[in-house]
Amino acid sequence: MGRIFCIIGKSSSGKDTLYKRLLKNKSLQLKRIVPYTTRPIRAGEQEGVEYYFTTVEALQELKTENKIIECRSYDTVYGMWHYFMAKDSQITLEKYDYLVIGTLESYINIRDYFGESKVVPIYIDLEDGERLMRALKREKKQVLPKYEELCRRFIADTKDFSKENLDKAGITRYFDNHNLKDCLNEISDYIIAQSHSKMEIYNETNGF
């Protein structure tokens, strides 16, 4: 049985970069689960790569069909934006391990849906000052920078990823992303260790 590794953390902590690097590491053999969103596509993004960009109407249809695994909605200064994971043909836990990016709330929902033994959190940590500088640098590259939304996300993350909330979710292992290479190596070793642990449990259960 496979596992879903969930990369979570505050905005601009480096989740996207780590996600892409980990997927390129062939020794980890991780598959992607592309999430869905109703927000507008950003400069540099591609349909089916970062997200499937969809509509509120399509989201409601999936809800009616009971195909939503987790959904987060944000009342932004540009309107309501929805991010969600759907039960579709992408996910085959009987065969593969997966890597996804999400929030603390999405991790909890995915864990509750599939079971704690099948979902592993990877919390990315970064000092707030450095994180804010990275966020500003990234937003300046947009055709129409959304600085108000950047500030909203930064403030919201302080509450959403409080130590109290992390403790409640059972997350005690942090991966510091001050140095990308070191963080990447640490996470890769952790995923390999988790995979070995999964295989040992499987062998014990099946008498190998």
Side-chain angles (χ1 to χ4, degrees):
M1 295 294 288
R3 288 182 177 176
I4 298 176
F5 293 92
C6 292
I7 295 182
I8 59 177
K10 298 174 181 177
S11 59
S12 300
S13 59
K15 301 187 298 296
D16 289 343
T17 299
L18 288 165
Y19 171 77
K20 292 173 182 176
R21 298 285 182 89
L22 289 167
L23 284 175
K24 288 182 179 179
N25 187 338
K26 294 183 179 180
S27 65
L28 300 179
Q29 297 183 328
L30 297 170
K31 300 286 186 179
R32 302 172 64 240
I33 301 176
V34 180
Y36 297 75
T37 184
T38 63
R39 75 155 169 77
I41 191 170
R42 292 173 179 166
E45 292 182 329
Q46 294 180 331
E47 168 70 18
V49 178
E50 291 83 6
Y51 294 97
Y52 288 119
F53 295 91
T54 188
T55 64
V56 174
E57 290 74 19
L59 169 59
Q60 293 302 325
E61 184 176 344
L62 287 168
K63 284 184 176 179
T64 301
E65 297 172 355
N66 295 318
K67 292 184 178 180
I68 299 299
I69 296 171
E70 65 89 16
C71 181
R72 292 152 285 129
S73 300
Y74 301 98
D75 189 7
T76 77
V77 295
Y78 299 96
M80 190 69 72
W81 289 350
H82 307 279
Y83 297 79
F84 60 96
M85 180 186 293
K87 185 179 180 182
D88 56 22
S89 59
Q90 297 183 82
I91 306 172
T92 310
L93 278 176
E94 292 79 7
K95 295 182 179 180
Y96 306 112
D97 287 331
Y98 294 88
L99 186 68
V100 300
I101 300 178
T103 64
L104 185 60
E105 179 185 357
S106 67
Y107 157 68
I108 292 171
N109 290 334
I110 296 169
R111 179 198 65 190
D112 291 347
Y113 185 90
F114 289 104
E116 189 171 357
S117 64
K118 296 183 178 67
V119 184
V120 180
I122 298 177
Y123 178 66
I124 310 303
D125 197 20
L126 185 65
E127 190 270 328
D128 281 346
E130 185 172 352
R131 189 167 61 85
L132 182 58
M133 289 178 62
R134 292 184 184 182
L136 284 169
K137 183 178 180 180
R138 183 179 68 179
E139 198 63 32
K140 285 181 178 180
K141 295 179 180 179
Q142 301 300 314
V143 176
L144 295 173
K146 298 179 174 62
Y147 296 118
E148 289 181 77
E149 175 58 18
L150 183 155
C151 293
R152 184 203 66 79
R153 285 201 312 270
F154 190 86
I155 295 171
D157 280 345
T158 301
K159 179 180 179 181
D160 294 343
F161 288 95
S162 67
K163 187 177 185 305
E164 179 182 4
N165 287 342
L166 291 171
D167 288 344
K168 285 182 179 178
I171 297 175
T172 57
R173 178 72 182 267
Y174 297 2
F175 296 89
D176 189 344
N177 194 25
H178 177 72
N179 182 286
L180 176 61
K181 183 178 179 179
D182 290 344
C183 185
L184 188 62
N185 289 337
E186 186 179 0
I187 294 172
S188 298
D189 290 343
Y190 180 70
I191 291 175
I192 291 172
Q194 290 291 317
S195 296
H196 286 169
S197 174
K198 175 189 68 177
M199 185 59 67
E200 289 173 1
I201 292 173
Y202 177 84
N203 289 339
E204 290 176 2
T205 302
N206 292 277
F208 295 126

mmCIF file of all heavy atoms in Angstrom, residues 28-44:
data_model
loop_
_atom_site.group_PDB
_atom_site.id
_atom_site.type_symbol
_atom_site.label_atom_id
_atom_site.label_comp_id
_atom_site.label_asym_id
_atom_site.label_seq_id
_atom_site.Cartn_x
_atom_site.Cartn_y
_atom_site.Cartn_z
ATOM 1 N N LEU A 28 12.982 8.315 -5.148
ATOM 2 C CA LEU A 28 11.838 8.387 -4.243
ATOM 3 C C LEU A 28 10.579 7.795 -4.865
ATOM 4 O O LEU A 28 9.664 7.393 -4.151
ATOM 5 C CB LEU A 28 11.576 9.848 -3.837
ATOM 6 C CG LEU A 28 12.721 10.553 -3.113
ATOM 7 C CD1 LEU A 28 12.330 11.997 -2.800
ATOM 8 C CD2 LEU A 28 13.093 9.819 -1.831
ATOM 9 N N GLN A 29 10.512 7.796 -6.204
ATOM 10 C CA GLN A 29 9.392 7.198 -6.945
ATOM 11 C C GLN A 29 8.037 7.756 -6.483
ATOM 12 O O GLN A 29 7.108 7.005 -6.197
ATOM 13 C CB GLN A 29 9.412 5.676 -6.817
ATOM 14 C CG GLN A 29 10.651 5.036 -7.425
ATOM 15 C CD GLN A 29 10.620 3.524 -7.362
ATOM 16 O OE1 GLN A 29 10.067 2.933 -6.431
ATOM 17 N NE2 GLN A 29 11.211 2.876 -8.342
ATOM 18 N N LEU A 30 7.948 9.080 -6.426
ATOM 19 C CA LEU A 30 6.721 9.739 -5.978
ATOM 20 C C LEU A 30 5.869 10.182 -7.167
ATOM 21 O O LEU A 30 6.382 10.706 -8.149
ATOM 22 C CB LEU A 30 7.064 10.964 -5.121
ATOM 23 C CG LEU A 30 7.804 10.682 -3.811
ATOM 24 C CD1 LEU A 30 8.299 11.985 -3.204
ATOM 25 C CD2 LEU A 30 6.898 9.950 -2.833
ATOM 26 N N LYS A 31 4.564 9.970 -7.060
ATOM 27 C CA LYS A 31 3.621 10.407 -8.076
ATOM 28 C C LYS A 31 2.972 11.726 -7.648
ATOM 29 O O LYS A 31 2.924 12.049 -6.457
ATOM 30 C CB LYS A 31 2.532 9.349 -8.285
ATOM 31 C CG LYS A 31 3.050 7.997 -8.742
ATOM 32 C CD LYS A 31 3.484 8.031 -10.187
ATOM 33 C CE LYS A 31 3.867 6.640 -10.665
ATOM 34 N NZ LYS A 31 4.282 6.627 -12.088
ATOM 35 N N ARG A 32 2.448 12.460 -8.615
ATOM 36 C CA ARG A 32 1.777 13.727 -8.345
ATOM 37 C C ARG A 32 0.268 13.530 -8.208
ATOM 38 O O ARG A 32 -0.312 12.651 -8.838
ATOM 39 C CB ARG A 32 2.016 14.728 -9.476
ATOM 40 C CG ARG A 32 3.468 15.024 -9.740
ATOM 41 C CD ARG A 32 3.626 15.868 -10.994
ATOM 42 N NE ARG A 32 3.012 17.178 -10.850
ATOM 43 C CZ ARG A 32 2.041 17.636 -11.618
ATOM 44 N NH1 ARG A 32 1.549 16.900 -12.591
ATOM 45 N NH2 ARG A 32 1.544 18.841 -11.426
ATOM 46 N N ILE A 33 -0.342 14.365 -7.389
ATOM 47 C CA ILE A 33 -1.798 14.522 -7.382
ATOM 48 C C ILE A 33 -2.042 16.005 -7.621
ATOM 49 O O ILE A 33 -1.786 16.836 -6.754
ATOM 50 C CB ILE A 33 -2.437 14.095 -6.050
ATOM 51 C CG1 ILE A 33 -2.126 12.625 -5.742
ATOM 52 C CG2 ILE A 33 -3.951 14.307 -6.102
ATOM 53 C CD1 ILE A 33 -2.646 12.168 -4.393
ATOM 54 N N VAL A 34 -2.488 16.340 -8.804
ATOM 55 C CA VAL A 34 -2.697 17.754 -9.139
ATOM 56 C C VAL A 34 -4.007 18.226 -8.501
ATOM 57 O O VAL A 34 -5.064 17.657 -8.777
ATOM 58 C CB VAL A 34 -2.746 17.960 -10.664
ATOM 59 C CG1 VAL A 34 -2.953 19.439 -10.989
ATOM 60 C CG2 VAL A 34 -1.470 17.437 -11.314
ATOM 61 N N PRO A 35 -3.955 19.260 -7.659
ATOM 62 C CA PRO A 35 -5.177 19.785 -7.050
ATOM 63 C C PRO A 35 -5.937 20.689 -8.014
ATOM 64 O O PRO A 35 -5.446 21.010 -9.100
ATOM 65 C CB PRO A 35 -4.656 20.585 -5.858
ATOM 66 C CG PRO A 35 -3.308 21.053 -6.304
ATOM 67 C CD PRO A 35 -2.755 19.949 -7.174
ATOM 68 N N TYR A 36 -7.114 21.110 -7.597
ATOM 69 C CA TYR A 36 -7.964 21.995 -8.380
ATOM 70 C C TYR A 36 -8.092 23.344 -7.677
ATOM 71 O O TYR A 36 -7.999 23.424 -6.448
ATOM 72 C CB TYR A 36 -9.370 21.399 -8.533
ATOM 73 C CG TYR A 36 -9.439 20.102 -9.285
ATOM 74 C CD1 TYR A 36 -9.033 18.909 -8.698
ATOM 75 C CD2 TYR A 36 -9.941 20.050 -10.588
ATOM 76 C CE1 TYR A 36 -9.114 17.697 -9.387
ATOM 77 C CE2 TYR A 36 -10.027 18.844 -11.283
ATOM 78 C CZ TYR A 36 -9.612 17.672 -10.674
ATOM 79 O OH TYR A 36 -9.703 16.486 -11.347
ATOM 80 N N THR A 37 -8.323 24.403 -8.446
ATOM 81 C CA THR A 37 -8.586 25.714 -7.852
ATOM 82 C C THR A 37 -9.500 26.534 -8.770
ATOM 83 O O THR A 37 -9.485 26.355 -9.989
ATOM 84 C CB THR A 37 -7.298 26.507 -7.577
ATOM 85 O OG1 THR A 37 -7.624 27.738 -6.921
ATOM 86 C CG2 THR A 37 -6.554 26.830 -8.868
ATOM 87 N N THR A 38 -10.256 27.423 -8.153
ATOM 88 C CA THR A 38 -11.111 28.340 -8.926
ATOM 89 C C THR A 38 -10.472 29.712 -9.066
ATOM 90 O O THR A 38 -11.067 30.600 -9.678
ATOM 91 C CB THR A 38 -12.491 28.489 -8.258
ATOM 92 O OG1 THR A 38 -12.326 29.074 -6.957
ATOM 93 C CG2 THR A 38 -13.197 27.149 -8.126
ATOM 94 N N ARG A 39 -9.279 29.917 -8.487
ATOM 95 C CA ARG A 39 -8.638 31.226 -8.621
ATOM 96 C C ARG A 39 -8.065 31.385 -10.013
ATOM 97 O O ARG A 39 -7.794 30.404 -10.706
ATOM 98 C CB ARG A 39 -7.551 31.411 -7.559
ATOM 99 C CG ARG A 39 -6.273 30.638 -7.799
ATOM 100 C CD ARG A 39 -5.102 31.319 -7.101
ATOM 101 N NE ARG A 39 -3.901 30.511 -7.068
ATOM 102 C CZ ARG A 39 -3.077 30.323 -8.088
ATOM 103 N NH1 ARG A 39 -3.344 30.844 -9.270
ATOM 104 N NH2 ARG A 39 -1.987 29.590 -7.950
ATOM 105 N N PRO A 40 -7.813 32.636 -10.443
ATOM 106 C CA PRO A 40 -7.236 32.874 -11.777
ATOM 107 C C PRO A 40 -5.822 32.303 -11.876
ATOM 108 O O PRO A 40 -5.089 32.245 -10.882
ATOM 109 C CB PRO A 40 -7.217 34.402 -11.888
ATOM 110 C CG PRO A 40 -8.217 34.882 -10.887
ATOM 111 C CD PRO A 40 -8.166 33.898 -9.757
ATOM 112 N N ILE A 41 -5.463 31.890 -13.058
ATOM 113 C CA ILE A 41 -4.119 31.371 -13.285
ATOM 114 C C ILE A 41 -3.113 32.515 -13.185
ATOM 115 O O ILE A 41 -3.388 33.644 -13.594
ATOM 116 C CB ILE A 41 -4.040 30.679 -14.668
ATOM 117 C CG1 ILE A 41 -2.729 29.899 -14.805
ATOM 118 C CG2 ILE A 41 -4.230 31.677 -15.800
ATOM 119 C CD1 ILE A 41 -2.705 28.994 -16.036
ATOM 120 N N ARG A 42 -1.944 32.247 -12.605
ATOM 121 C CA ARG A 42 -0.896 33.263 -12.452
ATOM 122 C C ARG A 42 0.129 33.146 -13.573
ATOM 123 O O ARG A 42 0.225 32.112 -14.237
ATOM 124 C CB ARG A 42 -0.188 33.094 -11.100
ATOM 125 C CG ARG A 42 -1.041 33.405 -9.888
ATOM 126 C CD ARG A 42 -0.298 33.041 -8.618
ATOM 127 N NE ARG A 42 -1.068 33.354 -7.420
ATOM 128 C CZ ARG A 42 -0.775 32.890 -6.202
ATOM 129 N NH1 ARG A 42 0.260 32.082 -6.038
ATOM 130 N NH2 ARG A 42 -1.524 33.215 -5.169
ATOM 131 N N ALA A 43 0.900 34.200 -13.731
ATOM 132 C CA ALA A 43 1.965 34.196 -14.734
ATOM 133 C C ALA A 43 2.937 33.068 -14.440
ATOM 134 O O ALA A 43 3.373 32.882 -13.307
ATOM 135 C CB ALA A 43 2.697 35.541 -14.720
ATOM 136 N N GLY A 44 3.252 32.282 -15.467
ATOM 137 C CA GLY A 44 4.198 31.186 -15.308
ATOM 138 C C GLY A 44 3.556 29.856 -14.976
ATOM 139 O O GLY A 44 4.227 28.823 -15.024
#
